[in-house]
Amino acid sequence: MSAFLVALIAGIGAGALYAMLGSGIVVAFRGSGVINFGHGAVAGYTAYSFDELRESGSLYLPWFDPIPEFGFLQTLRINNLPVRIDIFDNVTLAEKPNLAITFIICLLMSAFLGLLMHFLVFRPLRNSPTLGKVIGSIGVFLYLSSMCAVHFGGQNRYDEGFTGFNSTSGAVKNFLGLGGTIPRSNFWLFGAAIVMCVAVWALYRYSRFGIATRAADENEKGAALLGYSPQFLAGANWVLASVTAGVAGILFLHKTQPAQIALFVVGGLGAALFGNLTSIPGATMGGLIIGMIASGGVELTTNSWWPEIIPGDGVRNFMPLLIIILVLYFRGDKLPIRGSISIGRQPRAPTSTNVIIGAIAALGIGLLLSNIFVSKWEAVLTTTIIAIVFMYSLTVLIGFLGQISLVQWTISGLAAYVMIRLMADGTKIRETDFVTNTGWGWPTVLAFIAAIAVAVIFGLLVGLPALRIRGVQLAVVTIAAVIAVESLLLRNPPLMGDGSVSVNPTPSPNWFGQYVGGFNPNTARTDYWKFSLFIIIIAGLIGVGVANLRRGQIGRRFLAIRANERAAAAAGINVANMKLLGFGISSGIAAIAGCMLAYKLPGLQTDQFEIFGGLALLAFAYLGGITTVWGAIVGGCLIAGGLLPEFLGVHFESVDTGLINAVGAIGLVVNAKVTNGEGVALLQTDLAKNTLAALRREPDETEEAEENSNNDTEEVTA
Amino acid sequence: MTNILETNDLTVTFGGLNACDHVDLAVPTGKFVGLIGPNGAGKTTFIDAITGYVPTSDGNAVFDGNDIGELKPHERAQSGLVRTFQSLELFEDLTVRDNLLVAAYPTRWYTFIADMFHLSRQDKEIEERVNWALNIMGLNDVSDSMPTDLSHGRRKLVGVARALAAKPKLILLDEPAAGLDTAESQTLGGHLREFLNHDMSVFLIDHDMGLVLSVCDFIYVLDFGKIIASGTPTEIRESAAVKAAYLGEEAGEIQVQEGERMRSQQHESGEDND
């Protein structure tokens, strides 16, 4: 019992990080009405900057040189966008730069990040619908994480930073006579969280800036009438929020790897919700509670009676989700939705015309590119097609139904694992396999169907909260679910097999006697032609199905719900059923994508389905166009390793995946602003249409269009 | 004669205030019943209560012979109790025609399988009904437009047409004429009585006293959540209680109408600010 209590108290260490991140999220939310998923990434980037300054004396600016540094471009020497500033000379291990100066420089960096976020992302998106804002903050998350990978290699860092806050500061023995030890740094971090809480709270309570922010939070229009610029206040709050994130990142540098801090945003989100998104002390308390119950829960798993099937890490990562669900369940309707002066319209979701012609054309192009005819693009083509299939699931759920779920890629992973486990029978499949999986040895088709069924059931479970909560809050739940499911299911050795940390070999898939795996035993490469044909056909069928769905009754109903749930109920639509149906269909499609990926590869690795991969796929789906089948196809071609980047002749290795994702994140934000998420696909359809119309018609047509757009803006401001 | 809708002691409480206070009201089958009352009298709250959008604290509502107290909004709509909204609550991403089709077709969850293979058949009767609804509201020429491309008034007509397409047994019209221009108002007013020929009863809330008095068979007057008068249009015109509620003791009928119109305009502009 006392060990449990000690663990609870020790949890204030991790809790302090959640508390600080949560406070920052609240600050940003009060200032701008945006829940920032990228808040942890700001902390991570600042922490990396701090370490880099201490180690090498260089400061990396949060951007990259857009002109790649290889090939003939390198010889042209036109790469001159400053990326690195060498601040300290002669840095050695013995003589590191001054702590305080480094600290201040890094806080300036985080303030700069805050300004960039405000001016480049959230200010332009201030009138976008919820989806646009969520996507914007996911763009920040992806971009900064990618920048960390590009500049700092995503490597672990060991700078000890401030004395007291690092792990070397010893331990408190026998705390309060309970026995056991608690790291002394936990108390320091706890103290820092309390100091930050009081400081920010006092700033809001007593300063003119704080009072104006609170006023704008209550009533943006009213504050504007009193002469406070809401946008100035928003910018100032972004800076404040980023600085608190920076402080958290630097203080935790030695306790938590900077690469991980971005993911701790989930605990921060839980903390912020606990504080009702408005209260700094509430968020601080929420963070500490999450940290403490997580630590206590992990302690419980060390007991002998604890079932081995629930790993300690899973318990830890489940706690933020638990708190978020509890808060939303009990206060779901009462959580503030910060009013802004206007809210933009949803992205259009036109019906697909010429579905059959399009499908035949796509099939033809796919076959032409496949290794049936060309042997060069096999891996690229199948990667692209799998991404497209996955993006169809987002088209249905986010594009048609308007439910922002970030967990779909995890569902793909779940399905892939379930399928592999069901198919495996303990035999070694290839010479190269160094692990064998035991399992039930189900036939391929049966395992495939069962995997889809499991995914659909899981998707329905995720959909349940969506019946009560909507918009950005659903995004918060699902991102917490990603973290929890990853560690509870996908990284769970007893459940997912001994190989889940390294490689899970895929048993050879046989559909009706035909081997359709991607791995070709003759060439020892993943270029087997039957696999290409197989997934081209599957992708074609699903694409036609999704396009037809939009044309049919269900598609209309999904869009009706997306537009207006109240009116949908008045039109006799069972909103709850339709939402669950959407989650089910989407999860089924995502599961197929996951299983296809399992067929393609000789083995599955857990990190293929981790959060960054999922968010990057969402980013490119949004970039292509989240509301149309055509958009999913465009999005699939854009991903790292997809057709377009490969055709551009650039072969991207690990670091450059970061670059591609960074480019995608930028495109994401631009797209959210410019096309409202309709994406490249609709943009070019519109361009084609407008050009045709301009060629055919006299100018009064365009005047009419202008009038309509004027009407729209009027309505928005009204 | 049977009543399609009956409420007994229906009460809605918002934090101690009775927005609807023991309202007893009946809509006879096949009749046109109106509900009038000054701003804030609880008219829309009454519709919200019988369609399930706000919880009732007392009393019950009987629709088509069944107590509907336990039904969810969409179940009430499916059973034939269909409402329109005072504010525009259209599906803005769907064309006008699709707005109607959403309400017109019944859907089972497995419809998606037929949908994905593009197999769902058009039901002739339903399509005819949708065409009729578009026609009667004068929306034929814009059936493939987006609601956002229409004028405010025509968008309101889309709302009415959507309710008509749902094949209501009783249609609840919440201020359908507010915000309409003269021509649109006449289109609507001219066709309201026609609804009765299509197996439905009509319940109308409106600020336009002239409209209500001219089309209704029977009128209820609501003030401060209570029914203060009821009767045929002639009786309501003469009723002292109504005049008192609207304008004080001495007011005449013309002023009633004018005052009402001003109120409705204020109401409209007030709503746009929301």
Side-chain angles (χ1 to χ4, degrees), chain A residues 115-127:
Chain A
L115 277 182
L116 288 181
M117 285 196 293
H118 173 65
F119 281 109
L120 298 181
V121 183
F122 295 113
R123 190 165 196 269
L125 293 179
R126 65 189 184 280
N127 293 336

PDB file of all heavy atoms in Angstrom, chain A residues 115-127:
ATOM      1  N   LEU A 115       4.730  33.524 -32.262  1.00  0.00           N
ATOM      2  CA  LEU A 115       4.373  34.554 -33.245  1.00  0.00           C
ATOM      3  C   LEU A 115       4.131  33.923 -34.615  1.00  0.00           C
ATOM      4  O   LEU A 115       3.176  34.266 -35.314  1.00  0.00           O
ATOM      5  CB  LEU A 115       5.503  35.572 -33.357  1.00  0.00           C
ATOM      6  CG  LEU A 115       5.520  36.682 -32.313  1.00  0.00           C
ATOM      7  CD1 LEU A 115       6.676  37.622 -32.590  1.00  0.00           C
ATOM      8  CD2 LEU A 115       4.199  37.451 -32.335  1.00  0.00           C
ATOM      9  N   LEU A 116       5.025  33.005 -34.984  1.00  0.00           N
ATOM     10  CA  LEU A 116       4.867  32.359 -36.296  1.00  0.00           C
ATOM     11  C   LEU A 116       3.530  31.625 -36.365  1.00  0.00           C
ATOM     12  O   LEU A 116       2.810  31.722 -37.355  1.00  0.00           O
ATOM     13  CB  LEU A 116       6.013  31.374 -36.538  1.00  0.00           C
ATOM     14  CG  LEU A 116       7.386  31.967 -36.811  1.00  0.00           C
ATOM     15  CD1 LEU A 116       8.393  30.848 -37.040  1.00  0.00           C
ATOM     16  CD2 LEU A 116       7.354  32.883 -38.020  1.00  0.00           C
ATOM     17  N   MET A 117       3.202  30.897 -35.280  1.00  0.00           N
ATOM     18  CA  MET A 117       1.940  30.152 -35.283  1.00  0.00           C
ATOM     19  C   MET A 117       0.770  31.115 -35.451  1.00  0.00           C
ATOM     20  O   MET A 117      -0.175  30.850 -36.178  1.00  0.00           O
ATOM     21  CB  MET A 117       1.781  29.369 -33.974  1.00  0.00           C
ATOM     22  CG  MET A 117       2.646  28.149 -33.891  1.00  0.00           C
ATOM     23  SD  MET A 117       2.102  27.049 -32.588  1.00  0.00           S
ATOM     24  CE  MET A 117       2.450  27.996 -31.145  1.00  0.00           C
ATOM     25  N   HIS A 118       0.870  32.237 -34.732  1.00  0.00           N
ATOM     26  CA  HIS A 118      -0.241  33.184 -34.807  1.00  0.00           C
ATOM     27  C   HIS A 118      -0.380  33.771 -36.204  1.00  0.00           C
ATOM     28  O   HIS A 118      -1.452  33.740 -36.799  1.00  0.00           O
ATOM     29  CB  HIS A 118      -0.040  34.293 -33.790  1.00  0.00           C
ATOM     30  CG  HIS A 118      -1.038  35.398 -33.907  1.00  0.00           C
ATOM     31  ND1 HIS A 118      -2.377  35.191 -33.674  1.00  0.00           N
ATOM     32  CD2 HIS A 118      -0.915  36.688 -34.267  1.00  0.00           C
ATOM     33  CE1 HIS A 118      -3.028  36.325 -33.875  1.00  0.00           C
ATOM     34  NE2 HIS A 118      -2.164  37.245 -34.245  1.00  0.00           N
ATOM     35  N   PHE A 119       0.727  34.270 -36.723  1.00  0.00           N
ATOM     36  CA  PHE A 119       0.617  35.008 -37.982  1.00  0.00           C
ATOM     37  C   PHE A 119       0.495  34.102 -39.199  1.00  0.00           C
ATOM     38  O   PHE A 119      -0.127  34.471 -40.178  1.00  0.00           O
ATOM     39  CB  PHE A 119       1.816  35.950 -38.155  1.00  0.00           C
ATOM     40  CG  PHE A 119       1.671  37.204 -37.360  1.00  0.00           C
ATOM     41  CD1 PHE A 119       2.455  37.437 -36.241  1.00  0.00           C
ATOM     42  CD2 PHE A 119       0.716  38.145 -37.710  1.00  0.00           C
ATOM     43  CE1 PHE A 119       2.299  38.579 -35.493  1.00  0.00           C
ATOM     44  CE2 PHE A 119       0.551  39.300 -36.967  1.00  0.00           C
ATOM     45  CZ  PHE A 119       1.345  39.521 -35.851  1.00  0.00           C
ATOM     46  N   LEU A 120       1.115  32.921 -39.139  1.00  0.00           N
ATOM     47  CA  LEU A 120       1.117  32.080 -40.338  1.00  0.00           C
ATOM     48  C   LEU A 120       0.020  31.030 -40.320  1.00  0.00           C
ATOM     49  O   LEU A 120      -0.361  30.523 -41.358  1.00  0.00           O
ATOM     50  CB  LEU A 120       2.480  31.392 -40.490  1.00  0.00           C
ATOM     51  CG  LEU A 120       3.653  32.334 -40.669  1.00  0.00           C
ATOM     52  CD1 LEU A 120       4.943  31.550 -40.837  1.00  0.00           C
ATOM     53  CD2 LEU A 120       3.437  33.243 -41.876  1.00  0.00           C
ATOM     54  N   VAL A 121      -0.473  30.687 -39.133  1.00  0.00           N
ATOM     55  CA  VAL A 121      -1.448  29.599 -39.092  1.00  0.00           C
ATOM     56  C   VAL A 121      -2.803  30.065 -38.563  1.00  0.00           C
ATOM     57  O   VAL A 121      -3.804  30.063 -39.280  1.00  0.00           O
ATOM     58  CB  VAL A 121      -0.930  28.428 -38.226  1.00  0.00           C
ATOM     59  CG1 VAL A 121      -1.922  27.280 -38.267  1.00  0.00           C
ATOM     60  CG2 VAL A 121       0.429  27.979 -38.706  1.00  0.00           C
ATOM     61  N   PHE A 122      -2.824  30.488 -37.314  1.00  0.00           N
ATOM     62  CA  PHE A 122      -4.137  30.614 -36.681  1.00  0.00           C
ATOM     63  C   PHE A 122      -4.834  31.929 -36.983  1.00  0.00           C
ATOM     64  O   PHE A 122      -6.050  32.002 -36.986  1.00  0.00           O
ATOM     65  CB  PHE A 122      -4.009  30.377 -35.181  1.00  0.00           C
ATOM     66  CG  PHE A 122      -3.580  28.971 -34.883  1.00  0.00           C
ATOM     67  CD1 PHE A 122      -2.343  28.699 -34.332  1.00  0.00           C
ATOM     68  CD2 PHE A 122      -4.400  27.911 -35.219  1.00  0.00           C
ATOM     69  CE1 PHE A 122      -1.941  27.397 -34.099  1.00  0.00           C
ATOM     70  CE2 PHE A 122      -4.014  26.612 -34.986  1.00  0.00           C
ATOM     71  CZ  PHE A 122      -2.776  26.348 -34.429  1.00  0.00           C
ATOM     72  N   ARG A 123      -4.061  32.971 -37.282  1.00  0.00           N
ATOM     73  CA  ARG A 123      -4.721  34.213 -37.681  1.00  0.00           C
ATOM     74  C   ARG A 123      -5.386  34.039 -39.050  1.00  0.00           C
ATOM     75  O   ARG A 123      -6.564  34.369 -39.202  1.00  0.00           O
ATOM     76  CB  ARG A 123      -3.730  35.370 -37.690  1.00  0.00           C
ATOM     77  CG  ARG A 123      -4.379  36.715 -37.850  1.00  0.00           C
ATOM     78  CD  ARG A 123      -3.396  37.814 -37.493  1.00  0.00           C
ATOM     79  NE  ARG A 123      -4.110  39.070 -37.281  1.00  0.00           N
ATOM     80  CZ  ARG A 123      -4.339  39.939 -38.241  1.00  0.00           C
ATOM     81  NH1 ARG A 123      -3.926  39.689 -39.468  1.00  0.00           N
ATOM     82  NH2 ARG A 123      -5.001  41.049 -37.997  1.00  0.00           N
ATOM     83  N   PRO A 124      -4.653  33.502 -40.030  1.00  0.00           N
ATOM     84  CA  PRO A 124      -5.332  33.276 -41.320  1.00  0.00           C
ATOM     85  C   PRO A 124      -6.535  32.344 -41.199  1.00  0.00           C
ATOM     86  O   PRO A 124      -7.484  32.467 -41.957  1.00  0.00           O
ATOM     87  CB  PRO A 124      -4.246  32.640 -42.186  1.00  0.00           C
ATOM     88  CG  PRO A 124      -2.964  33.049 -41.576  1.00  0.00           C
ATOM     89  CD  PRO A 124      -3.217  33.186 -40.116  1.00  0.00           C
ATOM     90  N   LEU A 125      -6.487  31.416 -40.238  1.00  0.00           N
ATOM     91  CA  LEU A 125      -7.565  30.431 -40.142  1.00  0.00           C
ATOM     92  C   LEU A 125      -8.659  30.844 -39.170  1.00  0.00           C
ATOM     93  O   LEU A 125      -9.514  30.033 -38.827  1.00  0.00           O
ATOM     94  CB  LEU A 125      -6.999  29.076 -39.701  1.00  0.00           C
ATOM     95  CG  LEU A 125      -6.090  28.367 -40.685  1.00  0.00           C
ATOM     96  CD1 LEU A 125      -5.599  27.056 -40.102  1.00  0.00           C
ATOM     97  CD2 LEU A 125      -6.814  28.110 -41.985  1.00  0.00           C
ATOM     98  N   ARG A 126      -8.639  32.106 -38.723  1.00  0.00           N
ATOM     99  CA  ARG A 126      -9.552  32.452 -37.625  1.00  0.00           C
ATOM    100  C   ARG A 126     -11.015  32.310 -38.011  1.00  0.00           C
ATOM    101  O   ARG A 126     -11.854  32.094 -37.148  1.00  0.00           O
ATOM    102  CB  ARG A 126      -9.268  33.861 -37.114  1.00  0.00           C
ATOM    103  CG  ARG A 126      -9.544  34.976 -38.119  1.00  0.00           C
ATOM    104  CD  ARG A 126      -9.012  36.293 -37.584  1.00  0.00           C
ATOM    105  NE  ARG A 126      -9.324  37.399 -38.463  1.00  0.00           N
ATOM    106  CZ  ARG A 126      -8.624  37.679 -39.563  1.00  0.00           C
ATOM    107  NH1 ARG A 126      -7.606  36.914 -39.908  1.00  0.00           N
ATOM    108  NH2 ARG A 126      -8.957  38.712 -40.324  1.00  0.00           N
ATOM    109  N   ASN A 127     -11.326  32.422 -39.299  1.00  0.00           N
ATOM    110  CA  ASN A 127     -12.723  32.287 -39.704  1.00  0.00           C
ATOM    111  C   ASN A 127     -13.035  30.936 -40.327  1.00  0.00           C
ATOM    112  O   ASN A 127     -14.096  30.739 -40.905  1.00  0.00           O
ATOM    113  CB  ASN A 127     -13.098  33.393 -40.694  1.00  0.00           C
ATOM    114  CG  ASN A 127     -13.078  34.753 -40.039  1.00  0.00           C
ATOM    115  OD1 ASN A 127     -13.222  34.842 -38.816  1.00  0.00           O
ATOM    116  ND2 ASN A 127     -12.880  35.791 -40.808  1.00  0.00           N
TER     117      ASN A 127
END
